[in-house]
């Protein structure tokens, strides 16, 4: 079953509240670099979710 990725806007809000990438990664059970990729991405949430669904074992 594919896990649901966090919403980009939610991640941005949480980062502005002081959450660290590692902590967000633990919360959503994804690596911190994926959190950063979602936050800094110009692609839509749907495109990001499709990419990670196809490329996550």
């Amino acid at each position: 079953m594919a896990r649901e990725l966090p919403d980009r806007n939610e991640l941005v809000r949480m980062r502005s509240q002081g959450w660290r990438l590692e902590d967000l990664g633990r919360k959503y059970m994804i690596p911190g670099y994926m959190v950063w990729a979602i936050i800094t991405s110009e692609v839509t949430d749907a495109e990001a979710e499709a990419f990670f669904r196809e490329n996550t074992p």
Side-chain angles (χ1 to χ4, degrees):
M1 173 184 242
R3 67 189 128 191
E4 188 171 323
L5 292 173
D7 178 67
R8 180 180 181 274
N9 294 326
E10 178 72 8
L11 289 175
V12 170
R13 183 185 65 75
M14 293 171 83
R15 281 285 289 165
S16 70
Q17 293 175 346
W19 282 70
R20 296 179 8 195
L21 290 175
E22 296 83 14
D23 296 335
L24 289 169
R26 275 193 286 279
K27 175 176 175 48
Y28 291 106
M29 297 186 301
I30 59 175
Y33 72 87
M34 284 186 171
V35 173
W36 185 249
I38 293 168
I39 290 173
T40 60
S41 176
E42 295 292 325
V43 299
T44 66
D45 288 338
E47 291 170 326
E49 187 171 325
F51 173 82
F52 287 120
R53 187 178 322 114
E54 294 169 3
N55 294 289
T56 302

